[in-house]
Amino acid sequence: MTKDEIVGLITGKLTSERANIEAQWQNPEDTPTRHFVIDGLLPENIAHAIYDAFPKSADGFYSRESFREKKRTSAKIEQYDPILGAITFAFQDPETVKLVADIVQFDRIEPDPSLYAGGLSMMFEGDFLNPHIDNSHDASRDRYRRLNLLYYVTPDWEMSNGGNFELWDADCKVPKTLVSKFNRLVVMETNKDSWHSVSPVTVPGPRCCVSNYFFSEISPDNSDYFHVTSFTGRPEEHAKRAIGAVDNALRNTVSKLLGFGRGKDEARK
């Protein structure tokens, strides 16, 4: 399966679901963050082939582990089965980008071939991602991060497995949970208030996901701003909330002064 063939499948599905996507995007439920969900994005045999192409362990993946998160990612797409590159860059194809941008009515949207903070993700039992807002910019700080595209490919993934995507209300008190369901695409907007997370995985896993971000020179609210990826705790995690506020302020200050953003070295060159 080539990238161009996958592009045709993705754009065909998005076009057929356009009215549904626009309705979801324009009227988000239980969260202020605009988003849409498409199930059955690709024929199941292709989605299974993508999952089967993921490595059997996270050896070689970059591991993050702190009070903020525990996850494993890789932007080194060339090291793996070609179908993983095909699906990753099918989302970045001009035809796909143009269609998504047109549906959500965003201007001057561009993909990120460097896969800064994107690429392949594997999460295992105990892995999690606390509520956070994404880094506001790309690695060079020339463009604002505007859209997050997440494509899940682990078969038979259920709510009880954990590892599910969560979109929060403005106070990060109540989440809207979207199961990381097999062959499901989730697209969300990214801005100063788009708090999201991944619930702790409760099974050995892996929960496999292909991630992409789209950027634009245009700010989400037409203001000039910058912030690092900023975390808080879950509603019951009072200590993490307090620590997170201090941690976010410190990392933001250091990043502004040094011009250094975390994860830059993990991106493709």
Side-chain angles (χ1 to χ4, degrees):
M1 178 62 60
T2 67
K3 177 183 78 72
D4 289 344
E5 289 172 326
I6 295 178
V7 169
L9 293 170
I10 291 175
T11 55
K13 182 69 172 181
L14 294 178
T15 299
S16 68
E17 294 278 354
R18 180 161 185 155
N20 173 33
I21 292 170
E22 290 176 342
Q24 292 183 60
W25 186 261
Q26 294 165 9
N27 301 283
E29 297 181 358
D30 303 321
T31 174
T33 299
R34 289 181 293 183
H35 64 284
F36 66 82
V37 178
I38 296 298
D39 287 327
L41 179 71
L42 298 176
E44 286 200 0
N45 65 313
I46 299 173
H48 277 289
I50 293 168
Y51 171 74
D52 290 340
F54 268 78
K56 302 309 178 187
S57 72
D59 291 345
F61 275 49
Y62 187 87
S63 179
R64 290 190 182 280
E65 187 168 350
S66 70
F67 74 91
R68 310 178 195 100
E69 60 190 331
K70 184 181 178 186
K71 65 176 184 177
R72 304 89 182 294
T73 61
S74 178
K76 313 303 182 184
I77 303 297
E78 295 82 1
Q79 298 179 8
Y80 307 108
D81 188 298
I83 198 171
L84 294 179
I87 180 61
T88 301
F89 294 109
F91 285 112
Q92 300 203 16
D93 186 88
E95 187 177 350
T96 305
V97 176
K98 183 178 185 299
L99 178 58
V100 172
D102 184 55
I103 290 174
V104 302
Q105 299 182 16
F106 280 7
D107 294 325
R108 288 154 57 186
I109 292 296
E110 300 174 358
D112 179 28
S114 77
L115 295 177
Y116 176 58
L120 308 179
S121 168
M122 297 177 73
M123 299 184 76
F124 298 83
E125 189 170 12
D127 289 357
F128 67 95
L129 191 55
N130 261 10
H132 64 285
I133 49 174
D134 287 332
N135 189 319
S136 59
H137 285 69
D138 62 7
S140 63
R141 299 191 183 176
D142 295 326
R143 302 174 299 172
Y144 291 88
R145 192 181 311 223
R146 299 298 307 275
L147 290 170
N148 186 349
L149 294 83
L150 303 165
Y151 177 52
Y152 301 103
V153 294
T154 303
D156 305 317
W157 198 265
E158 299 177 350
M159 173 78 80
S160 59
N161 291 356
N164 296 307
F165 188 66
E166 299 168 315
L167 291 166
W168 293 81
D169 61 347
D171 297 322
C172 272
K173 292 184 177 179
V174 181
K176 174 180 182 176
T177 300
L178 301 173
V179 177
S180 300
K181 184 179 176 182
F182 172 68
N183 205 15
R184 167 174 279 184
L185 174 67
V186 175
V187 177
M188 61 166 282
E189 72 173 324
T190 301
N191 54 35
K192 297 176 184 176
D193 304 305
S194 54
W195 290 93
H196 58 287
S197 59
V198 178
S199 61
V201 178
T202 62
V203 296
R207 191 214 68 163
C208 298
C209 178
V210 178
S211 302
N212 274 280
Y213 294 97
F214 290 173
F215 296 85
S216 176
E217 295 176 352
I218 302 172
S219 163
D221 61 4
N222 295 313
S223 70
D224 183 14
Y225 70 91
F226 169 80
H227 60 74
V228 297
T229 303
S230 303
F231 289 83
T232 189
R234 294 178 176 277
E236 69 279 8
E237 295 177 327
H238 304 294
K240 281 189 178 182
R241 289 200 166 203
I243 293 170
V246 176
D247 178 66
N248 295 334
L250 178 61
R251 288 187 297 107
N252 209 51
T253 299
V254 171
S255 187
K256 284 181 177 179
L257 289 174
L258 300 181
F260 177 79
R262 74 178 201 148
K264 188 173 182 178
D265 293 339
E266 301 158 36
R268 299 171 70 246
K269 305 302 181 184

